Amino acid sequence: MQVSVDTTSQIERRISVQVPAAEIDEAVASRLKDAAKNVRLDGFRQGKVPMSVIRQRYGSEVRNEVVGEVMRERYVRAITDEKLNPAGYPQIEASVNEAGKDLEFTATLEIYPEIELASIEGTAVERPVVEVSEADVDEMIETLRKQNAAWEEVDRAAQDGDQINIDFQGFLGDEPFEGGSAEGHDLVIGSGSFIPGFEEQLIGAKGGDAKEIQVTFPEDYQAENLAGQEATFKVTVNAVKGQALPEVDAEFIEKFGVEAGDVDAFRAEVKKNMTREAEQAVENRVKQQALEALKKANDIPVPQALIQQETDGLKRQAAQQFGLGEDFDVSQLPNELFAEQAKSRVQVGLLLAEVIKSAELDASDDEIKAKVEELAQQYQEPQQVVEYYMGNEQMKNQVKSALLEEKAVAQLLEQASVKDVEMSYQQVLAAAQQQGEEAEGDSDEA
């Protein structure tokens, strides 16, 4: 077997392989001979069909099978001998495939990039310092009360945040349009669930009022016949309801797993959860800054095969998130929506793997168990969670990967210039939310 390797790009290789004709022809003849033993044809006894007939009927099919197997086997041998590390599957094509001639084929493949890590030394990283105050706890408890509020009919004008029950019909000019009417619809003013400008015009309405509301549909509205159109909605207000907030009593407290129903214990539990949430937000914010610096310092080529794998994974996540069902064909989702985010993830993954490798980072079973115990505190039966994770090799490996990533980020932060910045609980969460939206925006722009 003759092998040559051409470098067509930083991460693409083209392998040319030549296999002696005798080797292929002998393999084809041997397989046809074996097949002849079991062939049944009219006019011949089993095993007595002439080889000329066998070759005429099955020669092409058998040769294709043999050639396919030989190309795959020789490809594996070639990348092993040449010490190539393929990323994804190759494209294999035969250029010469005729009886009596040497088999010649090429395999085009992407390989993992060779990475020489550049330091992020001097990179400025801001690390938020946050303390959850009693005022923050008060605000969170008020949020929990609103989330568990009941709606009660009130005899007053509707305010922002009220729920109103309405009948409505929409018109373009004098003609009603399809899908523009409903009866007995509950709408929370300020929820943003209706066309911009609709909800605000209902502030001040009372039960029994009839109103005409003028709106303009957005230019990018999903119904093309309505996009950019001015419309009139005739609305009847059936009822106005305000929120009736629950008291912070034993019944309310017990809903959140504080069985004693004690207010001080409840506040302590709320504060503990908020502190954990803030710590996670701080950790993520610092990590993202370090990873962005790592990407900026190491602009490595990324194999398209790995980008496609990550893109497919993001598509499946999106399908689950939007409840599209297990049978949904994710290939219907355009690659362009996810490609940039996928590329970024692959790039970060390759660079972190190199950080872990170069620093010889590892995580022991004791470290894995400690991390699992930390995660398990968020659940009602933490010991069961620990036993499940530690008894499941796949789950243990997931935790180990997370630990190695944490250690790799810590290595990077040792190179960076980290500055502590005081922030409030709300500022930390708002920054984390903005960071998430920017990541989604990067994906949308792809």
Side-chain angles (χ1 to χ4, degrees):
M1 179 179 76
Q2 296 181 14
V3 177
S4 63
V5 180
D6 294 322
T7 299
T8 51
S9 78
Q10 281 183 280
I11 57 173
E12 186 180 83
R13 301 291 183 269
R14 181 175 294 116
I15 303 174
S16 299
V17 180
Q18 187 176 46
V19 182
E23 189 173 334
I24 302 298
D25 294 344
E26 287 173 10
V28 171
S30 175
R31 190 164 299 187
L32 286 171
K33 186 176 180 181
D34 289 339
K37 298 174 184 178
N38 300 308
V39 170
R40 294 176 180 273
L41 289 177
D42 291 343
F44 300 98
R45 287 181 296 165
Q46 181 177 343
K48 299 298 183 180
V49 181
M51 282 304 299
S52 58
V53 177
I54 296 292
R55 190 173 294 107
Q56 182 181 17
R57 282 191 172 234
Y58 303 108
S60 178
E61 179 183 345
V62 168
R63 182 177 179 85
N64 288 338
E65 290 177 0
V66 169
V67 167
E69 292 171 7
V70 168
M71 289 195 299
R72 288 190 292 272
E73 187 270 332
R74 297 308 162 89
Y75 163 74
V76 172
R77 188 189 299 183
I79 62 173
T80 302
D81 292 345
E82 300 294 331
K83 296 181 173 56
L84 298 176
N85 187 12
Y89 296 105
Q91 291 183 337
I92 299 178
E93 295 181 357
S95 53
V96 178
N97 179 15
E98 297 178 30
K101 292 185 179 181
D102 290 349
L103 170 67
E104 296 179 11
F105 71 91
T106 59
T108 305
L109 67 149
E110 291 178 304
I111 61 171
Y112 283 87
E114 294 182 3
I115 301 172
E116 294 184 8
L117 280 175
S119 171
I120 66 166
E121 189 161 355
T123 297
V125 172
E126 290 188 350
R127 178 169 54 203
V129 177
V130 58
E131 182 176 346
V132 178
S133 67
E134 291 305 309
D136 292 328
V137 176
D138 290 338
E139 187 174 345
M140 178 58 71
I141 290 175
E142 192 66 14
T143 299
L144 295 174
R145 291 179 70 201
K146 289 178 180 179
Q147 290 173 351
N148 288 270
W151 293 105
E152 293 183 351
E153 191 165 340
V154 292
D155 185 17
R156 59 167 172 77
Q159 303 172 358
D160 190 23
D162 283 346
Q163 182 188 80
I164 57 174
N165 183 273
I166 56 175
D167 302 335
F168 63 86
Q169 186 168 25
F171 295 83
L172 294 178
D174 295 327
E175 295 295 323
F177 58 85
E178 186 177 354
S181 63
E183 294 183 356
H185 182 83
D186 287 326
L187 171 65
V188 176
I189 298 177
S191 64
S193 54
F194 267 42
I195 308 157
F198 185 99
E199 296 169 20
E200 293 86 341
Q201 296 182 56
L202 289 168
I203 293 175
K206 295 182 178 180
D209 284 357
K211 295 181 70 69
E212 284 196 3
I213 292 176
Q214 309 292 327
V215 295
T216 301
F217 282 93
E219 292 291 342
D220 59 352
Y221 194 68
Q222 61 267 28
E224 293 183 4
N225 63 312
L226 299 177
Q229 296 288 326
E230 293 183 359
T232 300
F233 283 87
K234 294 183 179 180
V235 181
T236 299
V237 180
N238 301 317
V240 177
K241 299 178 182 180
Q243 282 189 325
L245 300 180
E247 295 295 326
V248 183
D249 53 19
E251 181 181 357
F252 176 78
I253 292 170
E254 287 171 2
K255 290 181 179 179
F256 299 92
V258 182
E259 296 180 1
D262 179 70
V263 173
D264 289 339
F266 175 56
R267 291 183 65 87
E269 182 68 18
V270 170
K271 187 171 185 177
K272 182 178 76 173
N273 291 335
M274 293 174 69
T275 300
R276 181 169 57 239
E277 186 178 19
E279 289 173 348
Q280 291 173 347
V282 168
E283 181 182 336
N284 288 334
R285 182 171 174 79
V286 171
K287 180 176 78 171
Q288 290 305 317
Q289 291 177 76
L291 296 181
E292 283 301 317
L294 181 65
K295 284 170 53 183
K296 187 175 180 180
N298 296 273
D299 186 18
I300 61 172
V302 182
Q304 187 59 42
L306 300 184
I307 295 175
Q308 187 58 56
Q309 290 175 21
E310 189 66 30
T311 298
D312 292 341
L314 290 171
K315 286 182 178 183
R316 288 190 292 271
Q317 288 179 17
Q320 292 175 357
Q321 181 181 350
F322 293 107
L324 298 177
E326 294 182 0
D327 297 332
F328 177 75
D329 181 7
V330 296
S331 66
Q332 297 180 44
L333 299 174
N335 284 348
E336 293 76 13
L337 292 176
F338 308 93
E340 191 63 29
Q341 185 183 3
K343 180 181 178 181
S344 177
R345 285 192 177 193
V346 173
Q347 184 179 3
V348 167
L350 292 172
L351 292 171
L352 280 176
E354 190 62 30
V355 173
I356 292 167
K357 177 184 174 183
S358 60
E360 298 182 346
L361 302 178
D362 200 1
S364 66
D365 278 354
D366 288 342
E367 289 176 310
I368 294 171
K369 186 175 181 181
K371 185 65 175 179
V372 171
E373 288 172 344
E374 177 188 332
L375 296 171
Q377 296 308 309
Q378 302 176 40
Y379 298 88
Q380 290 186 345
E381 301 290 342
Q383 187 55 37
Q384 289 185 12
V385 175
V386 172
E387 292 174 358
Y388 172 70
Y389 269 74
M390 297 307 294
N392 185 310
E393 202 62 31
Q394 183 178 357
M395 302 302 289
K396 276 181 63 178
N397 286 334
Q398 288 182 11
V399 176
K400 182 176 182 178
S401 295
L403 273 171
L404 290 175
E405 182 176 301
E406 288 180 8
K407 291 185 176 187
V409 171
Q411 287 273 329
L412 294 172
L413 292 175
E414 289 180 4
Q415 304 168 16
S417 176
V418 182
K419 178 183 178 182
D420 289 341
V421 179
E422 290 191 8
M423 297 179 72
S424 69
Y425 172 77
Q426 296 297 340
Q427 287 174 325
V428 166
L429 293 192
Q433 182 178 359
Q434 181 181 359
Q435 198 171 57
E437 290 173 352
E438 288 174 354
E440 290 180 5
D442 291 341
S443 173
D444 293 341
E445 291 170 8

